[in-house]
Amino acid sequence: MVSVQQAKRIILLTGGGSAGHVTPNLVLANELVARGYSVHYAGRTEGIEKDLMAPTGLPYHGLSAGKLRRYLSLENLTDIVRIAKGFIDALRVVRRVQPVLVFSKGGFVSCPVVWAAKCNGIPAVVHESDFSPGLANRLSVPFAKRICHAFPETGEHFAASKRVHTGIPVRPSLLCGDAEEGRCICGFTDTLKPTLLVIGGSLGSRMINHMVRTALPELLSDFNVCHLVGPDHDITSVDRQPGYFALPYAGEELAHLLALADLVLSRAGATTLFELLAAHKPHLLIPLSRQASRGDQIQNARCFERLGYSEVLPEEGLTPETLCTALHATYAEREKFAKQMAEAPTADAAGRVVEVIESCLSEAH
C-alpha cells in the first residue's frame, strides 16, 4: 500500500543526447511510478530525449544544453553560454518541481540539473553506463550522493562510500518480441535464411551503413538483413530489394526485430550491449574509433569480448571483406556466444537502482 506521503514525492530524472542516456530512464520511470512516486523529466528543449519521453505523458522540462569538447574549438565559447543558461534553467525547474531526489543518466544536459540539485540541498544519484566515466558524469560525480555503475570494474573510479554496482536497467518489453511479427515487419519471405540485424546506434552510423550496403551482394547470399540506418540517414534505392529491409529507427518494433534476429551487428554503446546480453543474442561489435570518440565503446566492447559475450571488429580494420568474414565467423560460433551470455549473472538493475534511491531518501530524513 502506497502512503499519501510517498505518492507526493517527486523524482526528477535527467539525461540525454542519445537513446542510451534515455531508455534506462524509461525503465526506471515505470518502476518508480509502480512504487508510488511521481516522476518528472529534465532534458534538452529539443532532443531525442524529448521525443522518447513524449509517449509516457510524464511532465517534461526543457533546458538549454551545451557540450564541452576535449579539443580546441570556437564552439566551446558559445557552448559555455548554453551551459550557463542551462544551469539557470535547471535552477528554475528544481525550485518549481521541488523533487526529493534527482537521478542522472548522463549526457551534458544532466550536469546543470545535478549542480542545481546540490545548490538546493537535494540529493542526486548518478548512473555511469560505460566502462570508464565520461566527462559529463565526471563533472557531476563530486555533487552526487551515490554513483551507480554498469560494469563491476568501473567502481574503481569512485569512492567506496559512494559506488554501487547495479548494471543497466533493460526494458522488459524488449525481451518479449515475436519473431513472426518481426518477419512481417521486414517482409522477409525466405524463412530458411538466418536474419542479420544491423544497429548503428540511435543516431545511426555512416561508416557501418556504407560498409553494409557495399557488402550486401555477399551478405544477402546467406542472410536476410534488417538494417536500422538512423533517423538522419537517407533510405535509398539500394534499400529496396528482396531480403533487405532498412528503416530509420525502431521503437516498439525493436522487440520483434530482435526476436527475429539470429545475429546482430552493432556499435558498442553500453545500453545496447546490456540489451543484447539480456536477450542472449550473438553479436559482432564495431566500436567507435578513438578518432571519433574518447574510446569508451572500445573499452565496453573489449570487456564483453573478455567475458566471452562478443566478437569485436575494430573500425580501423573495417572493409566489406573483413566485415563479411567476421560476421560469418561469429555466426558459426553463435551457440557458444549464446550459451556464455545465458550463464551470465543476472540482476534486476532497475530494482537495484530504486533501492539506491530509497536508501538516499532514508538518509536524508
Side-chain angles (χ1 to χ4, degrees):
M1 187 71 139
V2 177
S3 69
V4 175
Q5 268 192 328
Q6 187 184 42
K8 290 181 179 178
R9 293 198 290 180
I10 297 172
I11 307 292
L12 179 61
L13 305 181
T14 184
S18 71
H21 286 136
V22 185
T23 50
N25 270 344
L26 289 169
V27 182
L28 186 58
N30 289 334
E31 186 75 19
L32 288 167
V33 169
R35 298 195 189 201
Y37 293 93
S38 295
V39 176
H40 287 230
Y41 203 97
R44 292 173 299 168
T45 304
E46 298 296 334
I48 191 171
E49 57 269 31
K50 184 177 182 180
D51 296 336
L52 291 175
M53 293 305 300
T56 69
L58 296 174
Y60 186 90
H61 307 276
L63 312 174
S64 175
K67 177 180 179 180
L68 292 176
R69 295 161 184 81
R70 297 169 185 80
Y71 52 87
L72 293 176
S73 170
L74 289 176
E75 290 183 280
N76 283 335
L77 297 176
T78 56
D79 275 346
I80 287 174
V81 175
R82 293 191 186 99
I83 292 168
K85 184 178 184 304
F87 179 55
I88 294 170
D89 292 343
L91 284 170
R92 289 172 178 159
V93 169
V94 167
R95 288 169 182 168
R96 183 169 67 250
V97 173
Q98 295 186 331
V100 292
L101 182 138
V102 164
F103 178 83
S104 167
K105 190 59 201 69
F108 285 99
V109 71
S110 67
C111 296
V113 184
V114 173
W115 302 338
K118 182 67 174 180
C119 290
N120 285 274
I122 296 167
V125 175
V126 169
H127 187 285
E128 176 55 63
S129 290
D130 289 317
F131 190 84
S132 64
L135 179 57
N137 272 353
R138 283 192 276 122
L139 292 172
S140 296
V141 160
F143 308 100
K145 187 83 172 175
R146 293 283 190 280
I147 302 98
C148 302
H149 53 95
F151 295 87
E153 298 88 340
T154 310
E156 298 173 4
H157 296 274
F158 310 122
S161 60
K162 285 188 172 186
R163 68 192 185 214
V164 185
H165 177 221
T166 60
I168 298 178
V170 172
R171 295 165 283 176
S173 61
L174 198 62
L175 310 179
C176 300
D178 180 81
E180 284 310 309
E181 182 67 23
R183 193 179 302 279
C184 290
I185 291 170
C186 297
F188 294 152
T189 56
D190 189 339
T191 59
L192 298 179
K193 282 184 182 178
T195 296
L196 168 66
L197 174 62
V198 181
I199 306 172
S202 59
L203 303 179
S205 165
R206 193 173 302 279
M207 169 73 79
I208 290 178
N209 289 353
H210 173 69
M211 290 297 170
V212 167
R213 284 165 167 160
T214 304
L216 266 183
E218 181 174 346
L219 289 175
L220 289 176
S221 65
D222 296 303
F223 297 99
N224 291 316
V225 179
C226 176
H227 188 177
L228 306 184
V229 299
D232 296 330
H233 301 271
D234 293 333
I235 305 293
T236 66
S237 57
V238 76
D239 300 323
R240 299 173 179 86
Q241 54 183 299
Y244 181 70
F245 178 71
L247 69 165
Y249 180 81
E252 293 180 0
E253 314 99 313
L254 183 57
H256 305 307
L257 301 179
L258 196 59
L260 175 64
D262 299 285
L263 179 65
V264 178
L265 171 65
S266 177
R267 283 297 195 189
T271 299
T272 299
L273 292 191
F274 278 82
E275 290 173 344
L276 293 175
L277 175 60
H280 307 157
K281 287 294 175 179
H283 53 273
L284 172 67
L285 302 176
I286 303 176
L288 272 169
S289 69
R290 291 190 183 277
Q291 284 70 41
S293 71
R294 64 183 178 88
D296 50 307
Q297 288 201 7
I298 296 173
Q299 293 176 319
N300 296 346
R302 292 304 181 190
C303 178
F304 264 47
E305 183 182 46
R306 288 194 299 273
L307 293 169
Y309 305 153
S310 310
E311 192 67 57
V312 179
L313 175 62
E315 188 174 285
E316 293 82 356
L318 183 60
T319 66
E321 293 74 24
T322 59
L323 176 62
C324 290
T325 298
L327 284 170
H328 284 100
T330 306
Y331 182 71
E333 297 287 339
R334 63 192 181 281
E335 293 181 2
K336 179 190 75 173
F337 288 114
K339 180 175 182 293
Q340 196 71 15
M341 286 185 282
E343 293 175 353
T346 57
D348 175 15
R352 286 189 177 185
V353 171
V354 172
E355 286 175 5
V356 173
I357 287 173
E358 294 191 324
S359 172
C360 289
L361 291 177
S362 296
E363 292 173 12
H365 290 87

